[in-house]
Amino acid sequence: QLQLVESGGGLVEPGGSLRLSCAASGITLNYYTIGWFRQAPGKEREGISCISSSGGSTNYADSMKGRLTISRDNAKKTVYLQMNSLKPEDTAVYYCAITPKFFSVCVPAPYQYTYWGQGTQVTVSS
């Protein structure tokens, strides 16, 4: 059965780095667009990055542009999100999600994604 499991979250100091992973099972990941999202307390879920099924197209939210690198390994059925120069306002639950829809330029809009992981907590604090 389809499962998405995020890992790699935790407590990190401001300016630090974190690498999140999203492992998929029960599917062949090759033809899925993958997105990363976050939700802070009292705020709407925000799309922060996505990567196309081929890996040739990536997109980043302005709030984190320059501090993120998204990548995927279809053979390992895993997508990664490298986060650098983290700030306290980055504190949130981070989710990965997938969609079978094709985008020449991927769109990290929550309503476009069908399958979601359980989320992993990222806390940026000294």
Side-chain angles (χ1 to χ4, degrees):
Q1 293 187 327
L2 173 64
Q3 263 195 307
L4 298 174
V5 180
E6 299 97 331
S7 62
L11 177 64
V12 63
E13 294 186 349
S17 298
L18 217 54
R19 188 195 191 208
L20 306 182
S21 298
C22 176
S25 62
I27 60 167
T28 299
L29 199 59
N30 302 48
Y31 290 95
Y32 288 86
T33 300
I34 305 172
W36 281 97
F37 306 82
R38 68 181 182 182
Q39 188 163 23
K43 294 187 176 182
E44 295 181 353
R45 189 164 296 185
E46 174 191 15
I48 58 172
S49 187
C50 60
I51 185 167
S52 65
S53 55
S54 68
S57 175
T58 59
N59 211 345
Y60 302 95
D62 289 340
S63 61
M64 300 191 76
K65 190 171 294 183
R67 301 189 290 124
L68 297 179
T69 302
I70 188 171
S71 61
R72 64 189 294 162
D73 187 331
N74 289 331
K76 295 182 177 180
K77 297 183 177 181
T78 302
V79 62
Y80 306 96
L81 186 68
Q82 178 68 43
M83 305 192 296
N84 301 318
S85 301
L86 289 167
K87 306 173 182 179
E89 52 262 44
D90 294 322
T91 296
V93 177
Y94 284 71
Y95 301 88
C96 68
I98 63 173
T99 177
K101 298 179 180 179
F102 172 79
F103 302 97
S104 56
V105 177
C106 68
V107 179
Y111 76 90
Q112 295 279 16
Y113 291 77
T114 305
Y115 308 104
W116 293 78
Q118 84 289 349
T120 184
Q121 176 71 46
V122 172
T123 302
V124 185
S125 176
S126 58

